[in-house]
Amino acid sequence: MHDFRSLRFLALFRGLFTKFGIDFDAMQKILQVKLTMDERRVPTIFQGNNKKKEGNHFLKSLWVYGLYGLILIPFILLGENYIFQMGIVFAMVMFIVMTSMISDFSSVLLDIRDKNILDTKPISGRTLSAAKMMHVGIYMTYVTGAFAVLPLIISVFKHGPLFGLTFLAGLLFTMLFIVVLTALLYLFVLRFFDGERLKDIINYVQILLSVGVIVGYQVFIRSFEFIDLDVVYSFAWWHFAIPPLWFGALFEVVLHQNYSTYMIGFALLAVIVPIISIYCYARLMPAFERNLEKLLSDTRKRKKKWNGLDELWAKVICRGNEERIFFRFAALMMKQEREFKLKVYPGLGMGLVFPFIFIFNELRDKTITEVSLGKSFLFIYFCNLLIPTIIHMLQFSGNYKGGWIFKAAPIQQLSSIYSGTLKAFLVKLYVPVFLLLSIAFTWTFGVRIIPDLFAILLVGIVQSLITYKLINNETFPFSRSFEFAQSTGGAKIIISSLLIGVFVIAHLLLGAVKFGLYVYIAILFVAVVVGWRVVFPKRRTTVKW
Amino acid sequence: MKGEKILSLQNLTMNYGIKNVLTGIDLDVFQGQIIGYIGPNGAGKSTTVKIMLGLIDGYGGKVEVFGQDIASGDPSYKRRIGYVPENAEAYDNLTASEYLIFTGELYGMDRALAEEKAIKLLHEFDLGEVIHARLSSFSKGMKQKVLIISSLLHDPDLLFLDEPLSGLDANSMMIIQEILSQLAAQGKTIFYSSHIMDLVEKISNRIVLLVNGKVVADGSFEELQERSKEGSLAQIFNQLTGFTEHKNIAERFVTIVQEGNGNA
């Protein structure tokens, strides 16, 4: 166990913590243990001591956020229309922080596994939840930092140190705001539900949040008017509900000395709301911990659930009994594994919303009839963004230790494990999203796009196969700890996402030629059939494990 | 009266890096034997079992199960094996019946049969109320029972049990003991590791003691007794593992616990 810089930094605020009734020394010790544990994760259960890589896997994945952060730079360099530019920057920061918070750190907030260890010790509940919060906070600082550090440095050069300071303060408040907001939301949900129902509700809340973030982003953009190349901001009272504007206004007030009432109002909100929410959270923390207990209780008597639809699918699309077993298993896991859902459902929500966002953007300067005659239905390709992230997640499970069964059981055709799981992914997660989108798009664009949609569905399958080969390549499904979900596969996920572009171009090119679309469909169909054989070869069981 | 040779380990070695876990185990197991596999913590008991199941590879030596070398890569031999892992590791988010059907099917059972047998067996273990509840809501003992059912559902000929009784209450323990001896009487072979010496003494007809990755004693309880002139298996265990200090250690331990208590 060693000294953590983050903890030494926290120690500067010892007085503040004490004021909130938190035993700082105890909190520091808990955090030290947690951070040490984070460093000591060993990749899989089967590897024994062969490969022991120490080091924090999460920190190793931060470069991806750094890469994302490059998007912010043009907005900072653009000019001096701060409310617009910085509003966008903060909208993006919030988006990144929020999605990372929801999918990666909710499990930390909602963790009850160490209750037996920590609750039995003479430490107040308040201190425990503060430790939890800080644990999340430290990581969120890293995420925000990695995302914003380059833009921050560049902003100092472009707009001066005062800008940089304002930016830094804004980032700090944004982060606090998002982390606390998420916690408060969970607190609210925990109050009203319990047991398995609660876990389901939490999943829904996460989907809603992800969708909400994206919709919010749209609303934000809409509060500006684009006149020629100039962006003009015109105030309306409902803009008070758009957090990125608060932070954008902060820059207007500090740097442009724009003291109009609403700017000051926004800027005040940017500072006051995070502080108030922290205060609320500090007051409500004990209730939060108490209610967490509910996650464990499940008193309802359960009946056998009807899985007729899965049965039907298993019969129709699976070849051989072994594949069917794994199809059913994977379908159950996707439906019932909380941690898996935590990670995957937000992605599903985004896959569902993304295509619409682009359509709405089109509607900005065209009428709906104009749009419906065009090619913009191809935006449905964006839902394929969910393929790489979710396929990556198929390797992981909160109950990964149960994975011994894959090796202990006499499985003849190992490839049936993988193909069954991938089929379950397509049927249970991909197709429902795609179908919903297709219905909405057919309604908008007319039945003429049905052949195109069919082609896109085939692309989805082809892409799943490629992604699967690229990312998972014969690791048992649901057999690794989520602790490694972050640190592995980042680059491969990006490559696989970029594939979408290749398909879109192919679709556009062939779609321009007469009967080209049908050629495209034929090629894709062959690719699916051949690809499936290549990715999941039938063979005697491999000797090599 | 030895039956068919079920299991054969020849000079089995295993090392993790520089650490030797198993340093040459030779063992033949015959049909109908109940083998108590005992040894101090870290002696390599679980590792041996996991190698035989194919969970760990990279071992040295030869392992034959039902006369087949397991390194051949054909997993069919596993069909006749049942396994209860230590620490009751399972996919907790599945319900008891879902988990049992899944594992039953993996061992080649017909789905309907697996379900029917699973439900009957769950009722016998007093788990009728929770058939469709998730394993995550189960107590340790309940989960252990489900895993025991899971290991027996496909009627295996060879059973590997790693601490099979952990978490079970006294009544359930008696049931399991009785089940094991009845299964052995019908020609099943049972290989189990445990730290509960009374139990090993009572139900095993052969005891294998592993110390530092090596078999140091192998025989029936009576044979071990004769060899070491000690009364109970626990005492034999102490003697064979070269451990005679428990009183001294306990004394020192208590003293340390009480150290520095003056100011508390």
Side-chain angles (χ1 to χ4, degrees), chain A residues 304 336 399 404 407 478, chain B residues 78 89 91 93 115 134:
Chain A
K304 191 182 173 182
Q336 298 181 357
N399 296 308
W404 58 267
K407 286 195 164 193
F478 310 109
Chain B
K78 293 177 184 171
E89 288 148 353
Y91 283 109
N93 52 301
E115 179 166 10
R134 293 185 191 192

Side-chain angles (χ1 to χ4, degrees), chain B residues 44-200:
Chain B
K45 299 187 297 289
S46 293
T47 305
T48 325
V49 171
K50 283 180 181 166
I51 288 173
M52 292 189 280
L53 282 158
L55 295 185
I56 303 180
D57 58 358
Y59 58 88
K62 196 168 176 192
V63 181
E64 282 180 0
V65 182
F66 305 120
Q68 181 196 331
D69 187 342
I70 64 166
S72 73
D74 181 1
S76 322
Y77 80 95
K78 293 177 184 171
R79 187 162 291 203
R80 294 167 63 194
I81 296 179
Y83 173 50
V84 175
E86 57 181 339
N87 301 330
E89 288 148 353
Y91 283 109
D92 287 354
N93 52 301
L94 300 183
T95 68
S97 74
E98 284 164 356
Y99 184 75
L100 290 173
I101 293 169
F102 171 58
T103 54
E105 278 193 289
L106 282 183
Y107 280 100
M109 288 182 79
D110 172 67
R111 191 173 166 77
L113 180 67
E115 179 166 10
E116 188 198 322
K117 274 176 83 174
I119 289 173
K120 279 190 201 158
L121 291 172
L122 284 167
H123 275 288
E124 290 303 328
F125 272 165
D126 250 350
L127 296 172
E129 296 276 295
V130 290
I131 290 174
H132 301 297
R134 293 185 191 192
L135 294 182
S136 53
S137 63
F138 282 30
S139 72
K140 187 161 187 234
M142 289 158 78
K143 216 170 130 186
Q144 191 68 22
K145 287 181 188 172
V146 173
L147 282 160
I148 290 172
I149 294 176
S150 147
S151 72
L152 286 168
L153 200 60
H154 56 294
D155 193 20
D157 296 320
L158 172 60
L159 259 180
F160 288 109
L161 310 172
D162 210 339
E163 284 292 346
L165 302 180
S166 68
L168 295 181
D169 61 50
N171 296 340
S172 310
M173 276 200 206
M174 278 169 70
I175 300 174
I176 305 288
Q177 273 181 48
E178 190 54 35
I179 289 173
L180 293 185
S181 40
Q182 289 198 17
L183 284 172
Q186 285 172 19
K188 310 286 185 192
T189 311
I190 297 163
F191 195 100
Y192 78 96
S193 62
S194 175
H195 291 295
I196 311 170
M197 291 301 139
D198 291 349
L199 182 91
V200 177

